[in-house]
């Protein structure tokens, strides 16, 4: 029951957030986007503001992380803002109702109730990350008319990001296979901890649903925030020195994983550096990075659950003494 609820919560919240497309972006076909760069300054959507609001590059997206929907309200899109806010509040209410503090005690909880609480908290986080990404890209046409972000020629909407993990087109790219080989190697290292004769927690259907939902939230939300917002922001404001900007976003990404991953955060930072490079290679499209991130998290998450040792508890029962 909790497994189905977690999946429903995740899909509902993300679809709610995707209800209204990015108004300031041009609608282009995927085939056209893959073959032709879009001249953004001259093709901005009709009705887009001539000047970007103050703080559009950093402060408004940052505020949207903390208060999902804020950027959309400030850009005059209350319905889209309400969608992000509603998704975030849904996650918070569900997490509070089922006890998020218990779920946060471990990275991969096994009880259905704890998994639902953890995923509800992730929905809130993802709503904030996507709200920041959306708010930043709404300002791009106006910023480009000011001579900024001229390198951002690719237009993507939330639907493009949500479907990216399941696009088989990426399997024709060597850059994807490099990441898949790295993913297989890391998953193999985790699975190598499996010892014969040791009792492990069974891998249930709810575990598969949980790790899939978790991977989708992380793959879409984190790529949108770090490679979709912070990377181009740093690139623009650091003199378009790409590797400085890329190292900065990857370093921040790795540091934020220190508590959960320990020394392995260095490897996570390196993966973020690679995805940043892939993003620029793809004309700043983050779809391949979303694909890489999703399948990496799915493989590592599943491997981690498969080597989760069962906890044995010894219970002593004393006979009742009657007087």
């Amino acid at each position: 029951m909790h497994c189905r609820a977690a999946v429903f919560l995740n899909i509902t919240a993300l679809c709610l957030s995707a209800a209204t497309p990015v108004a300031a972006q041009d609608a282009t076909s995927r085939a056209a986007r893959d073959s032709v760069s879009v001249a953004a300054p001259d093709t901005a959507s009709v009705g887009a503001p001539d000047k970007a609001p103050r703080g559009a590059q950093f402060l408004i997206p940052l505020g949207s992380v903390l208060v999902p929907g804020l950027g959309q309200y400030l850009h005059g899109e209350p319905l889209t803002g309400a969608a992000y806010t509603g998704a975030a509040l849904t996650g918070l209410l569900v997490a509070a109702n089922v006890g998020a503090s218990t779920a946060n005690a471990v990275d991969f909880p096994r009880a259905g109730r704890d998994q639902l609480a953890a995923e509800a908290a992730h929905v809130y986080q993802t709503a904030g990350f996507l709200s920041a990404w959306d708010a930043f890209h709404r300002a791009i046409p106006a910023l480009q008319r000011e001579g900024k972000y001229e390198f951002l020629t690719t237009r993507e909407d939330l639907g493009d990001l949500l479907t990216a993990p399941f696009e088989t087109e990426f399997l024709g790219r060597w850059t994807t296979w490099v990441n898949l080989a790295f993913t297989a190697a890391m998953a193999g290292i985790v699975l190598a901890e499996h010892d014969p004769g040791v009792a492990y927690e069974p891998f249930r259907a709810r575990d598969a649903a949980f790790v899939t939902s978790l991977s989708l939230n992380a793959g879409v939300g984190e790529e949108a925030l770090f490679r979709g917002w912070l990377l181009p922001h740093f690139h623009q404001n650091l003199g378009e020195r790409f590797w400085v900007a890329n190292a900065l976003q990857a370093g921040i990404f790795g540091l934020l994983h220190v508590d959960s991953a320990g020394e392995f955060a260095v490897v996570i930072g390196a993966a973020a550096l690679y995805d940043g490079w892939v993003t620029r290679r793809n004309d700043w499209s983050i779809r391949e990075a979303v694909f890489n991130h999703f399948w990496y998290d799915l493989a590592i998450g599943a491997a981690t659950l498969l080597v989760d040792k069962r906890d044995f508890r010894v219970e002593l029962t004393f006979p009742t003494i009657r007087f």
Side-chain angles (χ1 to χ4, degrees):
M1 180 64 180
H2 291 303
C3 167
R4 292 193 295 270
V7 175
F8 175 78
L9 172 66
N10 186 61
I11 294 175
T12 300
L14 289 176
C15 289
L16 179 64
S17 298
T20 307
V22 178
Q25 296 180 351
D26 301 321
T28 60
S29 67
R30 183 165 299 154
R33 185 174 59 243
D34 289 341
S35 59
V36 180
S37 294
V38 181
D42 297 328
T43 58
S45 299
V46 176
D50 293 331
K51 186 175 179 60
R54 186 175 181 179
Q57 297 184 65
F58 186 75
L59 292 180
I60 290 178
L62 179 62
S64 300
V65 173
L66 304 175
V67 184
L70 176 63
Q72 289 65 44
Y73 299 134
L74 295 176
H75 279 286
E77 295 291 339
L79 293 180
T80 308
Y84 283 111
T85 303
L89 288 177
T90 299
L92 285 177
L93 290 173
V94 173
N97 183 56
V98 297
S101 60
T102 303
N104 290 335
V106 293
D107 293 333
F108 294 99
R110 303 307 297 266
R113 186 179 183 86
D114 291 346
Q115 289 177 346
L116 176 58
E119 199 50 41
H122 292 146
V123 165
Y124 165 77
Q125 175 180 277
T126 301
F129 288 178
L130 291 175
S131 178
W133 166 81
D134 176 274
F136 171 70
H137 283 274
R138 285 180 185 277
I140 290 302
L143 290 169
Q144 288 177 329
R145 284 192 288 275
E146 298 173 13
K148 303 174 182 177
Y149 297 96
E150 294 180 347
F151 56 89
L152 288 181
T153 57
T154 299
R155 298 287 184 259
E156 291 173 328
D157 58 30
L158 188 52
D160 292 327
L161 305 192
L162 291 173
T163 58
F166 315 107
E167 290 287 352
T168 57
E169 65 182 86
F170 297 125
L171 295 177
R173 302 180 182 182
W174 69 266
T175 50
T176 298
W177 283 102
V178 167
N179 183 80
L180 291 177
F182 171 74
T183 296
M186 293 297 101
I189 292 174
V190 176
L191 290 173
E193 298 179 5
H194 193 283
D195 298 320
V198 176
Y200 292 89
E201 290 287 344
F203 189 84
R204 301 178 176 87
R206 70 164 181 257
D207 296 321
F210 171 67
V211 75
T212 300
S213 179
L214 182 70
S215 301
L216 183 61
N217 270 294
V220 173
E222 292 179 4
E223 290 305 318
L225 186 79
F226 287 90
R227 266 62 75 185
W229 167 42
L230 286 180
L231 177 57
H233 170 72
F234 291 150
H235 184 63
Q236 171 64 43
N237 291 280
L238 292 174
E240 297 194 5
R241 293 192 290 268
F242 173 74
W243 283 109
V244 175
N246 196 27
L248 183 56
Q249 67 83 19
I252 295 172
F253 190 76
L255 286 173
L256 291 176
H257 286 80
V258 169
D259 286 343
S260 59
E263 296 179 354
F264 195 70
V266 175
V267 177
I268 294 175
L273 193 74
Y274 180 78
D275 281 335
W277 172 77
V278 167
T279 294
R280 187 187 66 164
R281 186 176 187 275
N282 292 334
D283 292 328
W284 298 90
S285 166
I286 64 172
R287 296 183 71 246
E288 185 178 348
V290 171
F291 180 96
N292 292 342
H293 197 147
F294 171 81
W295 289 104
Y296 175 85
D297 280 4
L298 185 65
I300 299 303
T304 301
L305 293 179
L306 286 170
V307 295
D308 185 18
K309 295 180 181 179
R310 178 176 294 178
D311 292 328
F312 285 96
R313 290 176 294 180
V314 178
E315 297 183 359
L316 298 177
T317 303
F318 293 94
T320 302
I321 300 176
R322 301 175 183 272
F323 293 94

